[in-house]
Amino acid sequence: MKYGELLNYVGGAYVPPMTGRRDLDVSDPRTGDAIARAPLSQATDVDAAVCAAKAAFPAWSAMPIKERVQVFYRYKALLEQRIDELSAVITEENGKVVGEARAEVLKAIELTEFACSLPQIASGEVLEVSRGVECRIERVPMGVVASIAPFNFPVMVPNWTIPNAIALGNCMILKPSEQVPISASRIADLLREAGLPSGVFQVVHGGQEAVEAICDHPGIAAVSFVGSTRIAKVVYRRATSNLKRCLALGGAKNHLIVMPDADREMAATNIVASMSGCAGQRCMAASVMVAVSATDHIIDRMADVARAMVPGRDIGPVISAEARDRITRYIDEAEQLGAKVIVDGRDARVPGSENGYYLGPTIIDHVTPDMRIAQEEVFGPVLVIIRAPDVDRALEIENASPYGNAASVFTESGGVARYVMERANAGMVGVNVGVPVPREPFSFGGWNESRFGVGDITGRGSIEFWSQSRKMTTKWNREAGRDWMS
Ligand code: NAD
């Protein structure tokens, strides 16, 4: 096995789990071959990580933020230098094609760049509120915090939280996905090389037991979670019932409303890229296209673009054999119920990678809103098309989803675009954009069952989550009169 047995990273050193090793195989989704074994850590391992973080916290939090961010300037430079190496690890453990893996690292670089600007953004406020009396707000770290990550972005999602939380003075425990744990060790290496003091960042590998221990540990003040809605609910309930601050991002079912006047080429290429990029395993991926009235010319072009994609070259595998089989069942069921599979990726084969978990882009037309495939998160390269007679019916279909991550409209009409933007029931809305991810300094965060808790996970919106405000009132003017506030 290329990477062998992975270790936790605690107090600046790689350590085995404390209570005997129980492992999980990590496989390369392109081949199905095992490439590493990740330990399934338990409560004692989480406790050791919390102790190391607690010990590091006084010195790290006492350092001025301008000094703390120097680590992230160096970390950003290291991410840039090691982009090939990191992208290769992402491709091996997650399956992404090289361009997608590189894009993920580039996004991590952008996130780090934002953290470097925190001294300018999170600088607090001061005001003389009456003669000689000053009120001042400072941002103060929470203490030891934890970040729980999903499999679909092994480098980007951890970096949604690491640079901001740590630059703001917290010490962090990362629990990466047990399906893609290798990148987390590389992140730990780069942070150490960038000069982050021991104990400020730890990695605890594992699954359910490690997550539950994080939610229960009294030494952890705040928990961020990114993953499926089912587990987001579990984590949010458990962490908040233990009186922790929690922000839990869940799954998605993103709707794209396509009007007949949309630019044919732009709409077709953007929509196919959105539904097939990262093999559809993105919480911002296009999942349902609501085709309003006469849009066949756009759908025909989409089918051409999708059919031209070569699995293994343009589209990577999904994460596991279970994921591939689950996605295939959704397609089979929709077909049996009368939907028309116009581009079929079920028989994708990649020569030399016969055991890989490949699916080609799949487009299914004439799906009805009551079908499971129209309602549930499929998390694969599958786009369903629901036909609607007008924009109000399209919005009704979009609004009925319990999720609320992203929605987009494709049109050349500013009026229609505005109409949809104001009525779509999602936290991130796009016009002529297939993946409407806000870029720094704007924050990332959905609504409804795509996010539990208050605030966003990146950008300005994350500052509130990773810090608390200390309000200070001072009076140095003895001559100032006394009033009811004195
Ligand atoms: P997942 O919910 O299965 O796992 C996420 C994390 O939870 C992992 O670290 C995993 O170890 C842990 N976990 C799994 N089962 C658990 C349990 N029973 N109790 C406690 N912890 C448990 O998600 P995934 O399959 O890794 O990732 C895909 C999901 O993540 C999709 O639903 C996708 O939409 C979502 N996602 C959402 C966003 C967003 O911003 N909203 C971003 C990326 C991914």
Side-chain angles (χ1 to χ4, degrees), residues 316-339:
V318 295
I319 191 68
S320 62
E322 296 75 46
R324 184 196 51 206
D325 296 346
R326 187 198 68 238
I327 297 161
T328 305
R329 280 196 299 277
Y330 273 112
I331 304 168
D332 294 346
E333 185 185 292
E335 193 173 37
Q336 280 152 21
L337 290 170

Side-chain angles (χ1 to χ4, degrees), residues 147-153 156-157 160 175-180 206-212 215 225-232 234-235 238 248-254 281-284 319 326 377 379 403 405 428 444-446 449-451 457:
S147 171
I148 302 163
F151 79 80
N152 63 327
F153 283 95
M156 183 190 78
V157 168
W160 275 0
K175 207 300 285 169
S177 162
E178 63 277 38
Q179 293 178 283
V180 294
Q208 180 173 351
E209 272 177 276
V211 170
E212 288 175 355
C215 294
F225 171 91
V226 181
S228 62
T229 290
R230 187 172 71 82
I231 310 298
V234 170
V235 168
R238 193 154 177 158
L249 271 57
K253 190 80 188 165
N254 306 313
Q281 300 171 122
R282 282 191 290 196
C283 64
M284 295 294 280
I319 191 68
R326 187 198 68 238
E377 183 178 42
F379 222 53
Y403 297 102
N405 235 26
M428 293 171 279
F444 185 102
E449 299 227 333
S450 294
R451 190 223 25 204
I457 201 159

Side-chain angles (χ1 to χ4, degrees), residues 163-302:
N164 290 353
I166 294 182
L168 286 165
N170 299 288
C171 292
M172 175 175 269
I173 296 157
L174 171 69
K175 207 300 285 169
S177 162
E178 63 277 38
Q179 293 178 283
V180 294
I182 304 165
S183 295
S185 301
R186 292 290 163 274
I187 291 170
D189 292 341
L190 294 187
L191 286 169
R192 180 162 60 182
E193 206 177 324
L196 191 72
S198 298
V200 176
F201 176 71
Q202 352 298 309
V203 179
V204 174
H205 293 289
Q208 180 173 351
E209 272 177 276
V211 170
E212 288 175 355
I214 286 171
C215 294
D216 294 346
H217 200 295
I220 297 176
V223 176
S224 74
F225 171 91
V226 181
S228 62
T229 290
R230 187 172 71 82
I231 310 298
K233 286 180 181 172
V234 170
V235 168
Y236 186 77
R237 289 197 177 106
R238 193 154 177 158
T240 54
S241 78
N242 283 311
L243 308 177
K244 295 182 199 317
R245 192 178 274 197
C246 184
L247 181 60
L249 271 57
K253 190 80 188 165
N254 306 313
H255 289 60
L256 306 185
I257 295 176
V258 180
M259 303 302 293
D261 71 338
D263 181 283
R264 179 176 185 243
E265 194 59 25
M266 183 170 68
T269 51
N270 275 256
I271 295 167
V272 173
S274 175
M275 56 77 67
S276 64
C278 303
Q281 300 171 122
R282 282 191 290 196
C283 64
M284 295 294 280
S287 186
V288 177
M289 166 173 162
V290 191
V292 177
S293 156
T295 37
D296 283 340
H297 59 297
I298 299 171
I299 294 170
D300 290 347
R301 180 70 190 125
M302 283 165 50

